[in-house]
Amino acid sequence: MSYRRDNRPSRSSVVDGFDSLEEGGLRASSSYSRDINEHDNDKAIETLHDKVSFLKRLTGDIHEEVESHNQLLDRVGNKMDASRGMMMGTMDRFKKVFEKKSARKTCSYVGYFTLAFIFVYYLIRILGYFTLG
């Protein structure tokens, strides 16, 4: 049995072998992987910087678009307010006109006359089309 023990490497010699690996091979590979990791990190930082720059430009463009739309909506709102004021004045005038019976009759006659005129106009056009065609 002692013979077998002598042929087996001792525990300290196995550990000494790892120490030599660690000093040479493992350190070289860890520094190599550290360089790769730093290179990957630099690429990731550059990509992230590009994405942030793009998002910054995009948000700036969105802000400008929102500002222009807000100005447009303000102008439309102001014009609508002005139109509402004009319509209210017109409605008040119509109310005053229709309060009197004689004015109501006059407006009715003007409406009937306009409708009759339009009817006669189109009737003449249609008859003129058939006689010429």
Side-chain angles (χ1 to χ4, degrees), residues 31-128:
S31 67
Y32 177 72
S33 68
R34 195 174 304 134
D35 289 341
I36 290 175
N37 286 339
E38 286 180 22
H39 181 69
D40 290 343
N41 285 343
D42 290 342
K43 279 186 180 179
I45 288 171
E46 186 176 321
T47 303
L48 187 61
H49 181 266
D50 292 342
K51 288 179 181 179
V52 167
S53 297
F54 172 74
L55 288 174
K56 186 176 180 181
R57 284 192 308 270
L58 183 64
T59 54
D61 292 344
I62 290 172
H63 177 73
E64 289 175 10
E65 191 72 23
V66 166
E67 289 294 323
S68 69
H69 283 136
N70 282 341
Q71 290 172 356
L72 176 67
L73 288 173
D74 286 342
R75 286 192 305 258
V76 168
N78 291 338
K79 288 183 180 181
M80 290 295 288
D81 288 341
S83 299
R84 185 177 301 127
M86 288 173 42
M87 289 297 289
M88 291 300 290
T90 304
M91 291 301 292
D92 288 341
R93 285 186 219 117
F94 270 123
K95 285 179 186 176
K96 288 179 184 176
V97 167
F98 282 113
E99 285 175 354
K100 301 177 185 172
K101 284 193 175 192
S102 62
R104 195 175 317 155
K105 274 187 178 180
T106 305
C107 285
S108 298
Y109 289 143
V110 168
Y112 293 140
F113 177 74
T114 305
L115 287 175
F117 178 76
I118 292 171
F119 177 74
V120 170
Y121 173 75
Y122 281 111
L123 187 64
I124 291 172
R125 270 185 81 175
I126 290 173
L127 290 177

